């Protein structure tokens, strides 16, 4: 069994927290919203640069918290 270092654990927790912020932004907007509106909202809430928010979106999709429709540019909560 490998034990993760505190730095790795804290980064993982930070990512979980950022994903949760994104989920809350989408939830506050009825569970569905354009990516173009979500990115600045998350950046404002978290203090992240706009260029880093797509990483949070991709992580949230990979974690099955939201779906992202690439054609329409819409994020939606997974129910």
């Amino acid at each position: 069994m490998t034990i993760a270092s505190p730095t790795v654990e804290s980064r993982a927790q930070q990512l979980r927290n950022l994903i949760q912020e994104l989920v809350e932004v989408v939830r506050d907007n009825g569970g569905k919203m354009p990516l173009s509106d979500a990115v600045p909202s998350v950046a404002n809430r978290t203090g992240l640069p706009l260029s880093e928010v797509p990483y949070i979106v991709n992580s949230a999709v990979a974690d099955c918290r939201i779906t992202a429709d690439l054609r329409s540019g819409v994020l939606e909560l997974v129910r």
Side-chain angles (χ1 to χ4, degrees):
M1 181 170 110
T2 304
I3 299 175
S5 70
T7 303
V8 171
E9 289 176 7
S10 62
R11 287 184 182 172
Q13 184 59 47
Q14 182 181 24
L15 179 57
R16 283 191 290 272
N17 292 342
L18 291 169
I19 289 170
Q20 185 59 37
E21 287 293 330
L22 172 61
V23 168
E24 289 175 12
V25 165
V26 176
R27 183 179 297 128
D28 291 348
N29 285 279
K32 190 174 186 178
M33 72 185 299
L35 177 62
S36 60
D37 293 341
V39 168
S41 295
V42 171
N44 287 336
R45 283 178 71 149
T46 63
L48 285 175
L50 289 172
S51 62
E52 291 184 24
V53 177
Y55 172 73
I56 305 306
V57 172
N58 290 339
S59 297
V61 169
D63 197 37
C64 299
R65 302 290 304 276
I66 63 170
T67 60
D69 186 320
L70 299 177
R71 290 184 183 201
S72 66
V74 172
L75 302 178
E76 188 171 358
L77 289 178
V78 173
R79 308 251 175 209

